[in-house]
Structure formats: C-alpha cells, structure tokens
Amino acid sequence: MMDMDLELNESEMHLYSRQILLDGWDLEAQEKLKLANILIVGCGGIGCTTAELLARAGVGKISLIDADIIEISNLQRQIAYVEPDIGFYKAEILAKRLQQINPFIQVEHYTSRLDQQNAQMLISQQDLVLDGCDNFATRYLVNQTCTHAQTPLISASAIGFQGQLFMVEGDSACYECLFPKGQQQNESLRCADSGVLATTPNVIASLQAHHALLYLGLGRTPLKQKLLLWDGLTMKQRILAFEKDQDCTNCQLSHTANAD
C-alpha cells in the first residue's frame, strides 16, 4: 500500500460521489482504492480501457508497462490513442491521458518489456496485477512472478469475437494450471494475425476493471479459480470452475520458494 493520506479531500469526494453513495460501496471502500498500487501489463486494447476505468474510479497508483509504439491499426480499438499519437510509446501516451483524467492519482510508466530482469521488482510491490498482453511468453512470466510473489493477478485476453478472464490469488490455481505451457506455444493467435472486433477487448477490459474494483475495494474474488468465457457473436457468457493442477511446475516451484 502507498504511503499517502488516507482521507479523501473535498474534490475527491465530489469526483467519486456516485460510487460512495452506492449500496455496498462506501467511504472505506473508496479509501482502499486510493491506497492501492496496481500494475497493468500491456497498454493495448485491454490495457487502455482497464487503465482508464480504474483511473476514473480512483485507484491511487497505476503503473503501466509496454514497449510498443502506437500504429494506425491500433486506433480501431485502443481508445486512449488518436492519430497524432502514432509513433509514440503506448505507455507514455496512456500515462499522460490517465493523469489528465484524474489529477489525484499517481501514474508511472515503463517503455520496456516485462522480462526476467524487471518482473520481480515491478510485481512484488503491487496490490494487484492486471494482465492484458498479447503473447504467451509474457503471460507465463507474469503468472510465474505473481504466484511466487503472492501478488494477486487478474488475467484477461480477447481475440476475434471472444474473450476470457480469471483470477489467481493466494494458493489458488494459476494460469499454467489452466493452460499448460506445452500446449500454448502458438504465438499466431494474436490480434495482429487473427483480427479482433473493436468492441471485444473493451468488453473484456470493462469486466477486468470491474473485478479489480470488487477486489481492491471490497476484497471480493468472484473469479478465483473460475474462468469467464464471453462470446461476442451469441452474447453468451459462461463461468467454468477449474482445479489446481497437482503436476503444475509453476505451482510446485512457488510452493517450494514460499516455504523456504
């Protein structure tokens, strides 16, 4: 948690008034948001919307990491960017936008890739990590680092007309339990190669941000060890429970590391 004033000032009270008035969400929940640190991995279609919603909601410190620059094809779905932003780093432009949206929060950005050298440093200090990246290598690294650091993770993905979402928290099943590494090496399953409808990542991002608010403000974990599947063609949503894989290499290594 951040070292900052717990109490909301008058301007913040006005800004968040519709949340504070909500049944089931009170001043205490809003103050918990103000003190929260989160890391958003990937500033693309999912990361843009998740970051903006959480900034507007009042999450106190948001860190962004993405090494990509903005291209014209991004503008179809990545709502933080406009044509003059083309050629600039996504993380830098998104950070500026978040600060304009909410001057009461802190925003940090990194224009490098999440890798073995920086993952532990970035993730271990967070209250929650939100993954919306578009490649398996980074997803497995985020999952591995979060489970070893005991940092909660909400993972989201979107492709074509479909999206999925789930949470890793505490000693729960992890991403690798659900998607064993040996079965997920097809990197061609990305928006750049397979296409994506403009709305798909934004629907999933809204659900990811919503879950993040439930967790940070109320301590709720509705998708812990549950996989939410959303189908944009039929407008159907399913939630499937799954168990921890006793043979999961990542969970075994994490258990050993945390026992030492």
Side-chain angles (χ1 to χ4, degrees):
M1 293 289 184
M2 287 192 301
D3 182 18
M4 63 183 294
D5 185 11
L6 171 65
E7 294 186 0
L8 301 171
N9 62 41
E10 186 176 350
S11 295
E12 288 174 297
M13 292 287 285
H14 283 299
L15 179 58
Y16 310 131
S17 61
R18 295 302 183 270
Q19 286 179 182
I20 296 169
L21 290 171
L22 183 66
D23 284 343
W25 186 279
D26 55 16
L27 189 59
E28 182 181 357
Q30 194 63 48
E31 288 171 341
K32 287 180 180 178
L33 281 195
K34 180 176 179 176
L35 295 177
N37 296 334
I38 67 168
L39 173 68
I40 295 177
V41 181
C43 299
I46 292 175
C48 279
T49 297
T50 295
E52 180 168 330
L53 289 171
L54 294 180
R56 291 182 184 278
V59 172
K61 183 176 180 182
I62 299 175
S63 297
L64 310 167
I65 184 164
D66 196 313
D68 291 346
I69 62 172
I70 299 162
E71 301 176 359
I72 191 168
S73 62
N74 301 146
L75 306 187
Q76 165 251 12
R77 65 197 176 282
Q78 298 179 17
I79 64 172
Y81 314 128
V82 293
E83 192 169 353
D85 299 326
I86 292 172
F88 291 92
Y89 282 109
K90 291 181 179 181
E92 180 182 7
I93 297 299
L94 181 56
K96 289 179 180 178
R97 178 170 173 81
L98 299 186
Q99 208 67 79
Q100 290 170 341
I101 288 170
N102 190 342
F104 303 111
I105 66 171
Q106 296 181 35
V107 184
E108 290 185 352
H109 71 277
Y110 303 88
T111 56
S112 57
R113 296 196 180 281
L114 191 80
D115 56 28
Q116 295 286 353
Q117 283 65 52
N118 60 26
Q120 179 66 28
M121 181 273 293
L122 288 171
I123 287 173
S124 62
Q125 58 187 297
Q126 308 299 330
D127 298 307
L128 178 65
V129 173
L130 300 159
D131 183 14
C133 71
D134 66 350
N135 69 85
F136 290 122
T138 303
R139 285 189 180 279
Y140 284 114
L141 176 59
V142 171
N143 174 70
Q144 174 187 316
T145 310
C146 283
T147 53
H148 290 197
Q150 292 287 285
T151 301
L153 164 67
I154 301 176
S155 181
S157 61
I159 194 78
F161 299 94
Q162 299 176 325
Q164 60 187 30
L165 183 70
F166 68 95
M167 183 177 195
V168 179
E169 194 266 341
D171 62 351
S172 73
C174 75
Y175 181 83
E176 197 168 334
C177 290
L178 188 58
F179 302 110
K181 242 181 186 178
Q183 301 175 19
Q184 298 293 323
Q185 298 304 314
N186 186 2
E187 287 288 358
S188 67
L189 296 176
R190 301 169 63 246
C191 296
D193 307 297
S194 304
V196 61
L197 194 67
T199 46
T200 304
N202 288 292
V203 169
I204 299 304
S206 295
L207 292 172
Q208 184 185 42
H210 180 80
H211 195 306
L213 293 178
L214 293 180
Y215 176 73
L216 294 170
L218 303 176
R220 292 176 176 255
T221 58
L223 290 181
K224 180 178 178 178
Q225 286 198 177
K226 293 178 182 177
L227 176 66
L228 182 151
L229 299 169
W230 184 79
D231 188 326
L233 282 177
T234 63
M235 298 297 285
K236 290 182 178 179
Q237 179 176 295
R238 293 188 297 157
I239 296 179
L240 307 176
F242 63 96
E243 299 297 327
K244 196 165 185 174
D245 182 358
Q246 298 305 315
D247 296 322
C248 174
T249 303
N250 181 60
C251 287
Q252 291 174 351
L253 289 173
S254 177
H255 178 75
T256 301
N258 290 317
D260 291 340

